[in-house]
Amino acid sequence: MFGTGITDMKTFLDVYPHFQFRFLLVVVLFVIFFIVVMKLREKEYIKMVTGKDSVTGLMNWEKFKENVREAISKSSEKNYALIQFDVDKFKVINDMYGIDGGNSTLRGIAGELVGLIDKNELATRFYADVFCVLISYKNDDEITGFINTLSERIKNGVAAGNVSLIFGIYKIEEENLSVDLMVDRAGFARNSVKGNSVIRYSFFDGRMLDKVLKEKNIENNMQSALDAGEFEAYLQPQYSVKNERIVSAEALVRWHDPIRKLIPPGEYIELFERNNFITKLDVYVWKQVFKIITKWIEQGREPYPVSINVSPVHFRNRTIIDEIIDVINEYNIPLKYIELEITESVLLDDLQYAIDTMEELHNLGFRIAMDDFGSGYSSLNILNKLSLDVLKLDKEFLNDASNSEKGKIVINDIITMAKHLNMEVICEGVETREQVEYLQTTECDKIQGYYYAKPMSLINFEKEYY
Ligand code: C2E
Ligand code: MG
Ligand code: MG
């Protein structure tokens, strides 16, 4: 009465033909899944047995740790350093040359490394584009010599041109420390020079641990601080050079921590830029500013235009324009009261994007200011390509002008040039009467600095200026 399982299935498929296709599909998917799982297990297995990293052929991380322990305990009379390094902007290499190009760069680096270390020294790829090396050394020059030679060889010898490395060094002083902690320390040192275009290496220093702990503490508290309203927008007045009256203001954030009291932006802005929290904080500050401008308008007062800082991290988001417009629409404020401060560093990432975005924002009706001009990468020949309304000169210009005739020539000529390009000029960090009087001999339009006023709470600003 009943046939074999196969005959049963055949009969079933004959009776219900539409099941044939689904059945086949399930079988094919199952086979593919099985093959993928087997391949992955094979790869893991090879890695385990040989102890090698499948991309670079260097020993894998577990093997490296084992060997580091052994090397240190075997020859404790020697000095060892654990160096961690990665490729600057490796993501760009991957984007430009694809995964294969990226992998071949990593292999190239591994090849140079192997050629450079001697037989008692060790190298591994830690993860992604991060490598670790254990070298023995007699003095610091030997370590920096190693770093420089490796950097040179990689610059000249690796396929995806212009590969630059960033190093962190931990000189192994506490031999009982776990290798993981040693690598962490080299990592702290490496992170301390990340983003620095001049210095490419750093030695671990105990103070870095304090900094990391402080930063961890800030990171643990930042969101709850924002929710609890501990961040507050302050306003610093900007004065006209001619009549020495307030004409506008800049919004600057302040953090009132219940325990640490007032924490200055210098302690957290850079961290918030690294962990992206700055995008939330920026919007929070903008909203406080827009709220007070709305209040002034509703009360029939003429609002002071306020400039708000747009972090470079925020500016890089391709959605920045929509984001600003969304917040503006919430408050319905005429754009003439808002100036956007953008720093020079945005020009370094993607110049064309920066030019286009500034132009679009400017065309929408925002005033655009270049903040801290002269503090970093200022390139004069770029100024005529940017839709800038305002140039904010970094306080260093003024310090130089106060100290030397040559400094005066530089600031004078930059102010004149900016005026020829139809920009308004603001000098930041003006602290003395002499500086004010000097600026009155130039074409500078506005002054912002402690000489007139420090940044103050919105309540104090209203008391003082309305
Ligand atoms: P910035 O935008 O260039 O702001 C000017 C800084 O100079 C402020 O420092 C201000 O207090 C300080 N300053 C003003 N007048 C004088 C003076 O006469 N002498 C001296 N020595 N300093 C003066 P602050 O408030 O500590 O802010 C530092 C930086 O943090 C700001 O530089 C800005 O880059 C960033 N920042 C502050 N608030 C925000 C914010 O809401 N969003 C973003 N993205 N960045 C912010
Ligand atoms: Mg600013
Ligand atoms: Mg500034």
Side-chain angles (χ1 to χ4, degrees):
M1 195 177 160
F2 297 105
T4 63
I6 292 175
T7 0
D8 280 351
M9 183 57 81
K10 263 189 182 159
T11 323
F12 177 79
L13 291 177
D14 285 344
V15 179
Y16 302 104
H18 56 284
F19 274 100
Q20 284 187 22
F21 175 70
R22 288 186 199 171
F23 177 70
L24 275 175
L25 193 70
V26 169
V27 171
V28 169
L29 284 177
F30 179 75
V31 172
I32 293 175
F33 176 72
F34 183 73
I35 294 172
V36 170
V37 168
M38 289 312 283
K39 282 270 169 219
L40 284 175
R41 289 187 60 176
E42 191 181 297
K43 226 174 168 182
E44 274 307 302
Y45 179 72
I46 291 174
K47 213 165 131 182
M48 205 176 73
V49 171
T50 60
K52 277 191 177 173
D53 167 31
S54 57
V55 174
T56 60
L58 292 174
M59 70 182 73
N60 69 22
W61 174 237
E62 290 303 326
K63 193 103 191 129
F64 177 80
K65 284 206 296 193
E66 224 176 278
N67 291 352
V68 167
R69 280 256 73 90
E70 207 179 301
I72 298 174
S73 56
K74 244 193 210 162
S75 32
S76 55
E77 75 291 350
K78 276 190 184 169
N79 291 324
Y80 282 103
L82 216 154
I83 304 176
Q84 188 187 116
F85 68 88
D86 76 334
V87 180
D88 196 13
K89 303 197 175 73
F90 185 66
K91 190 181 167 304
V92 177
I93 297 178
N94 260 341
D95 288 349
M96 279 174 71
Y97 301 94
I99 297 292
D100 286 345
N103 282 350
S104 114
T105 304
L106 297 176
R107 271 192 293 279
I109 293 171
E112 295 295 347
L113 254 182
V114 170
L116 207 58
I117 57 178
D118 71 30
K119 70 175 192 320
N120 298 318
E121 298 176 330
L122 307 164
T124 184
R125 184 171 68 114
F126 186 24
Y127 63 90
D129 61 324
V130 183
F131 290 79
C132 284
V133 198
L134 180 83
I135 59 165
S136 62
Y137 70 97
K138 291 197 183 68
N139 51 43
D140 288 5
D141 288 348
E142 230 177 294
I143 300 177
T144 49
F146 171 84
I147 285 174
N148 291 335
T149 314
L150 181 64
S151 297
E152 272 311 302
R153 289 197 188 174
I154 298 240
K155 212 177 243 167
N156 302 326
V158 173
N162 221 358
V163 175
S164 152
L165 307 178
I166 304 160
F167 298 85
I169 306 136
Y170 173 60
K171 293 196 283 185
I172 299 175
E173 277 148 7
E174 294 171 48
E175 289 182 6
N176 294 330
L177 213 61
S178 73
V179 179
D180 286 303
L181 285 179
M182 292 178 186
V183 171
D184 277 355
R185 291 185 174 191
F188 296 150
R190 178 172 64 94
N191 283 335
S192 74
V193 279
K194 261 222 130 131
N196 188 321
S197 53
V198 185
I199 303 168
R200 311 306 279 176
Y201 66 83
S202 168
F203 285 89
F204 171 79
D205 163 336
R207 278 169 298 187
M208 288 174 184
L209 282 183
D210 296 342
K211 190 172 171 232
V212 171
L213 287 178
K214 241 187 193 169
E215 288 191 349
K216 268 272 151 291
N217 187 31
I218 289 180
E219 280 193 314
N220 289 342
N221 293 324
M222 60 193 186
Q223 184 61 51
S224 52
L226 189 69
D227 297 339
E230 290 174 18
F231 290 100
E232 194 181 337
Y234 269 39
L235 289 178
Q236 184 177 30
Q238 296 170 330
Y239 277 62
S240 149
V241 172
K242 276 203 192 91
N243 63 21
E244 296 191 52
R245 293 223 184 104
I246 179 178
V247 275
S248 49
E250 174 178 7
L252 294 158
V253 72
R254 291 293 176 264
W255 181 355
H256 301 278
D257 181 89
I259 300 165
R260 296 183 58 201
K261 305 291 177 231
L262 197 94
I263 313 180
E267 285 193 28
Y268 51 84
I269 294 286
E270 192 224 325
L271 169 67
F272 290 175
E273 286 180 346
R274 271 187 271 129
N275 66 20
N276 249 343
F277 188 69
I278 193 71
T279 53
K280 278 191 191 175
L281 189 59
D282 269 355
V283 173
Y284 183 82
V285 171
W286 302 348
K287 287 187 173 179
Q288 292 198 349
V289 169
F290 298 166
K291 239 183 248 169
I292 194 124
I293 293 181
T294 310
K295 181 179 150 198
W296 293 336
I297 294 174
E298 282 168 4
Q299 292 176 339
R301 301 161 166 179
E302 179 59 25
Y304 290 108
V306 178
S307 59
I308 53 179
N309 288 285
V310 180
S311 148
V313 177
H314 217 157
F315 186 85
R316 273 177 219 135
N317 287 352
R318 306 286 142 153
T319 52
I320 183 70
I321 296 178
D322 292 340
E323 223 177 309
I324 295 180
I325 293 292
D326 280 353
V327 189
I328 286 277
N329 285 343
E330 234 179 90
Y331 292 86
N332 204 14
I333 295 174
L335 297 190
K336 63 178 177 179
Y337 296 127
I338 308 294
E339 190 170 282
L340 305 177
E341 288 196 13
I342 291 158
T343 51
E344 295 175 305
S345 61
V346 302
L347 307 174
L348 276 185
D349 304 327
D350 183 343
L351 182 60
Q352 196 53 48
Y353 165 76
I355 293 174
D356 294 345
T357 309
M358 283 187 196
E359 188 178 332
E360 205 174 329
L361 286 166
H362 171 85
N363 290 343
L364 281 167
F366 288 103
R367 280 164 59 81
I368 311 289
M370 174 67 53
D371 199 4
D372 302 336
F373 182 77
S375 63
Y377 325 93
S378 357
S379 171
L380 291 176
N381 65 357
I382 206 75
L383 282 183
N384 61 344
K385 297 194 178 73
L386 302 172
S387 306
L388 281 183
D389 304 280
V390 182
L391 198 64
K392 293 193 77 177
L393 299 189
D394 191 69
K395 58 177 176 297
E396 276 312 306
F397 275 118
L398 208 56
N399 288 345
D400 290 349
S402 306
N403 296 331
S404 77
E405 275 312 304
K406 281 186 180 166
K408 284 198 175 77
I409 293 173
V410 171
I411 195 171
N412 242 318
D413 282 0
I414 288 184
I415 293 173
T416 309
M417 182 193 64
K419 296 306 295 176
H420 282 156
L421 290 168
N422 281 327
M423 293 176 200
E424 187 178 89
V425 178
I426 305 186
C427 263
E428 295 190 276
V430 177
E431 293 179 350
T432 64
R433 185 70 212 161
E434 292 75 56
Q435 288 173 330
V436 173
E437 283 170 8
Y438 166 68
L439 288 171
Q440 285 171 335
T441 68
T442 71
E443 292 179 79
C444 174
D445 300 284
K446 289 189 199 169
I447 287 174
Q448 181 180 342
Y450 296 168
Y451 176 72
Y452 290 117
K454 288 195 167 175
M456 59 188 85
S457 68
L458 300 181
I459 295 173
N460 285 343
F461 183 88
E462 285 184 325
K463 269 194 211 146
E464 188 80 28
Y465 296 105
Y466 276 115

